[in-house]
Structure formats: C-alpha cells, structure tokens
C-alpha cells in the first residue's frame, strides 16, 4: 500500500494519500504535476475540493488538505488548477460553512516547508480573493441576497484586510483588484480605501515602472486598464496619490505617458456610462490638473494628448464643467484658452484640435502602441507582475 508521495504512481494512489492525511512535499508536487496528465491533475484537485467542502472532525485535517492544494497550484503551469478547484468547491449545495472554513484555514495555517512559505501564502491570498469575487458575482445575481450571503462576504473582507500590511507584491496586487472589483460602483469603499492608503502609492509606482519597460508593458497595461477605473472611484487621498504618480511619470517619460493616457482614455470611454457615474468627474479632474502642469512647462505634445482625451467625451456635463473651470484659471494662456472654448461648444471637439495651427503634426508614420496581453486572467497578471517586481528588487 502507498504510504508516502514518493511511491505515488497514479491518481488513485494520490487520492488515497489525501484521504490518509499525508501532506505532499514541494518536490513531489513538482514531480507529479509533470508526470500526471491534465485530466489526472484535474481529478486530484476536484478530490481536494470535495474533501474541503465536507465537515471535518479537526482543523488539522483541513490544514493538511489546504497545504497539499496550495503546493499543487504552485507547481501548476497556469491557473487551471485554481479555477478547477473553485468551480468544484462552489458547486456544493451549502457553500456558507465550507467557504468560511476555507478562508479561516487558508489564511491562518502554518505551513510545514518554510522555504516556500511566502509563495504558498501569496497563493492562498489569491485563492481567497478569487473565491470572494466568485461569491460576490453569485450574490449580485440573486434578486434578494440573504443575510448569510453578506455575512460570508464580510468575513472574507475582514480576513483579507488583516493581511494587507504584507509587503508581498503578489498579495498587494491581489488585494487591490479584489476590493476594487467587489466595491466597484458603491459609494462606501471601506476596504478599498484602506488598502490604497496602506500601499497604493507603492503599487502604482511599481506598475508604472513596469509599464515603461518593454518586457513587462503588455501585462502592466492590462492590469492598469482593469483596475485604474476602481482607483478613480476612491477617496480624496487616493486621488492625491494617483495625481502625484501621473505627474511624476508624465514629466519623466512624456512620450510613453502620453501613449498610456490615450490608451486608458479610449478604453475608459468605451465603458457603459452607468458604470462610470462615480469616477467620471475624478478622471476629468485628473486631466484638468495634468493640463495645468503641461501648460506651465509648455509641452505641446502632452497638451495635445490631454485635449484629445477630453475630446473623447463630447456632450458629457462633467467634462464641460472641468473645461469651464480651466477657462477661469489665469495660468491658461490665451491660445490654449481659445481651443478649450471652441471644444466646449463643439459637436466634435476632436476636429477643433485637428484644425488648430497650434497642434500641426510634425511627425509622420505609424503611431506607437503598447504590446498587449489581453487573454491573461487576473491571477496570471498578478503572478507575472509580482515576479518581475521581485526580480527587479533583487
């Protein structure tokens, strides 16, 4: 009979050791993940999900299952193992007690292999974030969410906030996405404002560093496009952090920042209006503040870029309010004031910019663009960006 993971030769042996409560080692997880087929790997993950969804006699049983699961996910080539686990785990009829138990154990268990403790813990946080997002979606799909539904989500948020003091890049990126997406569109953002206050400046700074690196720009731009709209809904302190980040990188790398701003504005303009009610005015305020900065340094190309971004939102009242405010500022010189006034009243303000002699095109040829990695999931984005941040730090 198989007594340890070194003796495992097939999926039935692996399931038997799971049921016996034998923790897989990192090296054996790595070896078996390569030798098992994708179907066998899926079967093992599903077995772990079923066992974790069942009532257990002691916490130790769940700790053993969690550690084996985390090591298996860590040695998987993509997010399929985590997705398979969550799909099976969420299929149980009474998810409340199972989800509560999973959160409690995954985020507080002491792992047996100290060498891989930080990596496994960051995976545990990612797993709980993905669980929380899935439960949030399921709850919102109900016509009348129950008190238990809200209680579970509050429980997850409380535990995730408790780990937000971590310096781990993977954990920080996961938490920013989790609280941003689950509190998106709500006026009270207790969790999101807290995590932004704790590490928002550092994370945004790191993301823009990666955005302006050819090796990482494709993933950095996707993460920013997915999550920056959440930041625009946050409190005044968060907007101050965002403005300082924008201003620093705009002056440090004008051409690449202009490309980012056009890319984000275009993506943001395509979001349905009802989803941007809480963030539109903040975005236009940022554009107005950046325009004041470039007006002072007299950077023609950046001025044109910011005006072009404003031109993507013709007919929106909040945009016109910002233009009205800019027209009142004494530091806006007359030629720029004339363009803004024409944009304010134009049906198509992009034509105003195109026809202005102030912005006659001096460059010809193909317009630069970011590389894109559109097929990556949030888990993939976080893992990729965090790995490069660690590599850069070392």
């Amino acid at each position: 009979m198989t007594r340890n993971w070194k003796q495992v030769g097939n999926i039935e042996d692996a399931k038997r050791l799971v049921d016996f409560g034998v923790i897989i080692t990192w090296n054996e997880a790595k070896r078996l993940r390569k030798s098992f087929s994708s179907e066998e790997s899926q079967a093992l993950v599903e077995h772990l999900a079923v066992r974790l969804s069942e009532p257990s006699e002691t916490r130790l049983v769940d700790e053993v299952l969690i550690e084996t699961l985390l090591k298996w996910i860590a040695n998987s080539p993509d997010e399929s193992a985590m997705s398979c686990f969550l799909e099976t785990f969420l299929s149980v009829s009474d998810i409340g007690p199972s989800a509560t138990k999973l959160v409690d154990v995954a985020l507080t268990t002491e792992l047996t292999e100290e060498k891989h403790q930080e990596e496994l813990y960051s995976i545990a946080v990612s797993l709980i974030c993905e669980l929380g997002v899935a439960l949030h979606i399921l709850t919102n799909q109900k016509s009348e969410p129950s008190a238990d539904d809200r209680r579970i989500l509050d429980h997850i948020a409380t535990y995730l906030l408790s780990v937000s003091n971590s310096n781990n890049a993977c954990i920080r990126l996961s938490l920013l996405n989790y609280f941003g997406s689950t509190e998106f569109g709500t006026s009270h953002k207790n969790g999101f404002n807290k995590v932004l206050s704790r590490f928002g400046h550092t994370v945004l700074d790191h993301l823009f560093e990666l955005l302006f690196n050819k090796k990482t720009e494709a993933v950095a731009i996707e993460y920013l496009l997915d999550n920056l709209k959440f930041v625009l809904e946050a409190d005044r302190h968060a907007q101050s952090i965002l403005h300082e980040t924008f201003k620093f990188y705009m002056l440090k790398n004008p051409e690449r920042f202009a490309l980012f701003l056009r890319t984000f504005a275009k993506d943001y303009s395509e979001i349905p209006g009802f989803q941007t009610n809480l963030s539109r005015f903040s975005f236009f305020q940022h554009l107005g503040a950046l325009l004041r900065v470039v007006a002072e340094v007299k950077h023609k190309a950046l001025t044109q870029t910011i005006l072009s971004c404003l031109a993507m939102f013709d007919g929106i009242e909040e945009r016109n309010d910002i233009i009205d405010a800019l027209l009142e500022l004494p530091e806006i010189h007359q030629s720029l004031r004339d363009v803004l006034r024409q944009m304010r009243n134009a049906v198509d303000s992009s034509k105003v910019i195109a026809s202005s002699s102030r912005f006659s095109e001096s460059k010809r040829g193909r317009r630069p663009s970011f590389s894109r990695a559109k097929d990556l999931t949030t888990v993939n984005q976080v893992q990729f960006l965090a790995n490069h941040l660690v590599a850069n730090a070392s």
Side-chain angles (χ1 to χ4, degrees):
M1 182 178 292
T2 305
R3 297 182 182 275
N4 59 63
W5 287 92
K6 288 184 178 180
Q7 298 175 322
V8 169
N10 56 58
I11 185 60
E12 295 307 319
D13 291 341
K15 288 181 178 180
R16 192 176 300 114
L17 286 186
V18 167
D19 293 342
F20 285 166
V22 182
I23 300 177
I24 196 171
T25 65
W26 180 275
N27 290 336
E28 290 308 313
K30 187 175 183 179
R31 176 184 69 84
L32 289 172
R33 186 61 190 86
K34 291 179 179 178
S35 63
F36 274 16
S37 66
S38 58
E39 290 78 13
E40 289 174 318
S41 176
Q42 179 177 330
L44 179 59
V45 170
E46 289 174 348
H47 188 70
L48 286 162
V50 170
R51 289 290 176 262
L52 278 165
S53 66
E54 296 171 345
S56 50
E57 295 181 0
T58 66
R59 177 187 166 93
L60 180 60
V61 173
D62 297 318
E63 290 181 347
V64 170
L65 292 169
I66 285 289
E67 184 162 347
T68 296
L69 171 68
L70 295 178
K71 289 176 180 176
W72 196 261
I73 291 174
N75 286 283
S76 298
D78 52 40
E79 83 288 356
S80 59
M82 185 182 294
S83 299
C84 177
F85 170 81
L86 290 172
E87 184 177 348
T88 305
F89 187 77
L90 288 166
S91 66
V92 300
S93 56
D94 187 9
I95 188 62
S98 301
T100 301
K101 178 181 72 173
L102 179 64
V103 174
D104 293 348
V105 177
L107 296 182
T108 60
T109 189
E110 293 191 16
L111 303 167
T112 59
E113 293 189 57
E114 186 174 348
K115 181 180 179 181
H116 301 286
Q117 192 160 5
E118 184 174 1
E119 181 178 357
L120 292 173
Y121 190 64
S122 67
I123 290 173
V125 173
S126 292
L127 177 68
I128 300 307
C129 285
E130 291 298 300
L131 172 68
V133 169
L135 289 173
H136 175 76
I137 294 171
L138 291 173
T139 298
N140 285 347
Q141 289 174 347
K142 296 180 178 180
S143 56
E144 294 185 14
S146 67
D148 284 342
D149 293 329
R150 297 300 179 190
R151 181 186 57 78
I152 295 168
L153 291 174
D154 289 344
H155 184 75
I156 292 174
T158 299
Y159 267 80
L160 289 177
L161 278 175
S162 73
V163 305
S164 62
N165 287 326
S166 171
N167 292 325
N168 182 284
C170 184
I171 290 175
R172 288 180 165 186
L173 291 168
S174 296
L175 293 180
L176 190 146
N177 174 263
Y178 174 77
F179 285 105
S181 58
T182 56
E183 295 181 358
F184 183 52
T186 64
S187 56
H188 300 291
K189 301 181 183 298
N190 297 328
F192 193 51
N193 287 330
K194 283 179 182 177
V195 298
L196 284 176
S197 177
R198 288 175 184 175
F199 55 72
H201 187 277
T202 303
V203 167
L204 287 171
D205 187 58
H206 288 333
L207 286 170
F208 276 91
E209 284 182 8
L210 296 175
L211 179 66
F212 298 144
N213 183 320
K214 278 291 184 183
K215 294 181 180 179
T216 53
E217 67 175 24
V219 181
I221 189 63
E222 297 303 333
Y223 185 91
L224 283 167
L225 292 179
D226 289 344
N227 293 278
L228 206 54
K229 61 180 179 286
F230 305 147
V231 181
L232 289 170
E233 286 191 354
D235 61 15
R236 180 175 293 185
H237 179 58
Q239 302 315 313
S240 177
I241 292 172
L242 185 57
H243 171 68
E244 290 303 318
T245 305
F246 278 169
K247 184 171 71 171
F248 177 81
Y249 283 97
M250 179 179 71
L251 298 176
K252 180 181 179 180
N253 199 333
E255 290 189 5
R256 298 301 286 177
F257 184 84
L259 176 57
F260 156 75
L261 204 56
R262 286 196 301 270
T263 304
F264 177 77
K266 183 177 184 302
D267 184 85
Y268 184 79
S269 69
E270 294 171 355
I271 300 174
F274 71 90
Q275 293 185 13
T276 59
N277 284 335
L278 296 179
S279 60
R280 275 200 301 265
F281 190 66
S282 291
F283 180 51
F284 299 144
Q285 280 184 312
H286 282 291
L287 292 177
L290 293 177
L291 188 62
R292 293 180 65 180
V293 174
V294 299
E296 290 181 12
V297 299
K298 298 180 180 179
H299 198 295
K300 185 184 294 186
L302 279 172
T303 302
Q304 182 180 13
T305 293
I306 296 170
L307 291 177
S308 297
C309 292
L310 287 169
M312 296 180 190
F313 301 89
D314 283 332
I316 295 181
E317 184 178 350
E318 294 94 333
R319 195 244 10 208
N320 291 338
D321 290 341
I322 294 299
I323 291 180
D324 290 339
L326 288 168
L327 289 171
E328 297 295 323
L329 298 175
E331 62 264 37
I332 302 297
H333 42 79
Q334 189 59 47
S335 60
L336 179 54
R337 194 185 305 275
D338 291 340
V339 175
L340 285 167
R341 189 174 290 110
Q342 292 176 55
M343 288 178 61
R344 172 69 171 81
N345 301 313
V347 176
D348 184 355
S349 53
S350 62
K351 291 182 179 179
V352 173
I353 302 169
S355 62
S356 173
S357 59
R358 175 184 174 85
F359 303 118
S360 57
E361 291 286 347
S362 58
K363 293 184 179 180
R364 296 185 179 274
R366 185 178 178 183
R367 172 173 279 188
S369 61
F370 286 113
S371 302
R372 301 292 296 269
K374 296 182 179 182
D375 295 333
L376 292 183
T377 63
T378 299
V379 173
N380 291 149
Q381 292 174 6
V382 166
Q383 196 65 49
F384 177 91
L385 296 171
N387 287 340
H388 278 80
L389 285 173
V390 171
N392 291 347
S394 59

